Amino acid sequence: MAILLPIYIILFIGLIYLFGVRPQQKRRRELENIMNRLRPGDEIVTVSGIYGTVSEIEDGETLLLEVAEDTDIRIAKAAVARVLTPADAVVATPGDDA
């Protein structure tokens, strides 16, 4: 019985790493990648649920987000949750087959 205790502890630590630490590291890397690729014109959603278009990236840590016509707000770059459409994406119009 005494030999099983260290095996259980090692197994428990391995499961915590597998299901807790690794997914969090993967998500952090994805967010860093998203933030490094942000460009003016990208449509984004912030962690607080604000939708807008990036109008300017300031000093690397903040950006101006256009939330309505002629209405910009300054947010932290870390507040970006996801990019909806990249600026260089080709938008297909309905009925366009080519």
Side-chain angles (χ1 to χ4, degrees), residues 53-56 63-74:
T53 304
V54 176
S55 57
E56 183 181 338
L63 52 92
L64 288 177
L65 185 66
E66 184 177 3
V67 293
E69 189 174 332
D70 296 327
T71 305
D72 289 343
I73 60 174
R74 181 172 284 116

Side-chain angles (χ1 to χ4, degrees), residues 11-26:
L11 183 64
F12 184 69
I13 291 172
L15 288 174
I16 288 174
Y17 177 77
L18 186 65
F19 292 110
V21 176
R22 282 194 66 211
Q24 187 175 7
Q25 288 176 340
K26 182 180 176 187

